[in-house]
Amino acid sequence: KTIEFTGALHTTVVKQVRLKNPSIKTLVYKATLVGRDADDFSLPKGNTVTIAPKRQTSVNVEFTSRFLRPAEAVLLLISKRVGGIDGATLTFSLKSEIKHIEPAAILKCKSPCYEL
């Protein structure tokens, strides 16, 4: 699954990944961001995700754009053994796209175009 982060340059975009636990045991995952631009993505609620039995939870992923080029990373959710069960390892592709550029400031200056 690919999660797309679309926004303006130098802004923070937050997306949620919804995880469901259909089993009767609690699942615990360790979330890790890997890849070329993993430093531009973050997990503000920490990297441990606990999902109660027969429940669902959301994981917030933040992206702050620094460059015009598209950023790419992978969100890995690796299960920790709790109560004798393991959940499946989950992977999500994270990609960004800059759609808008806001100027930080506007400077007006006058200068001759040509001098002898």
Side-chain angles (χ1 to χ4, degrees):
K1 175 93 176 152
T2 299
I3 302 167
E4 299 207 7
F5 295 80
T6 304
L9 185 63
H10 299 299
T11 60
T12 299
V13 179
V14 179
K15 293 285 185 162
Q16 288 187 332
V17 179
R18 181 168 294 148
L19 303 172
K20 294 181 181 180
N21 179 4
S23 73
I24 58 171
K25 302 260 186 168
T26 299
L27 291 176
V28 178
Y29 284 96
K30 180 180 183 234
T32 306
L33 294 163
V34 295
R36 179 186 73 186
D37 301 307
D39 291 340
D40 295 333
F41 295 89
S42 65
L43 301 164
K45 293 183 179 179
N47 65 346
T48 301
V49 180
T50 304
I51 312 168
K54 302 289 185 186
R55 299 279 183 183
Q56 63 185 10
T57 191
S58 294
V59 176
N60 288 344
V61 181
E62 287 185 357
F63 169 72
T64 302
S65 60
R66 299 184 299 153
F67 305 107
L68 285 174
R69 67 168 172 76
E72 295 180 1
V74 174
L75 171 62
L76 281 174
L77 293 160
I78 301 169
S79 175
K80 292 182 177 179
R81 184 175 288 267
V82 176
I85 66 161
D86 279 333
T89 297
L90 305 172
T91 60
F92 297 91
S93 176
L94 310 176
K95 295 188 179 193
S96 74
E97 185 178 3
I98 304 302
K99 291 279 193 179
H100 184 66
I101 301 171
E102 281 291 326
I106 298 175
L107 301 173
K108 290 186 179 184
C109 57
K110 290 185 179 182
S111 163
C113 290
Y114 175 76
E115 283 187 31
L116 284 174

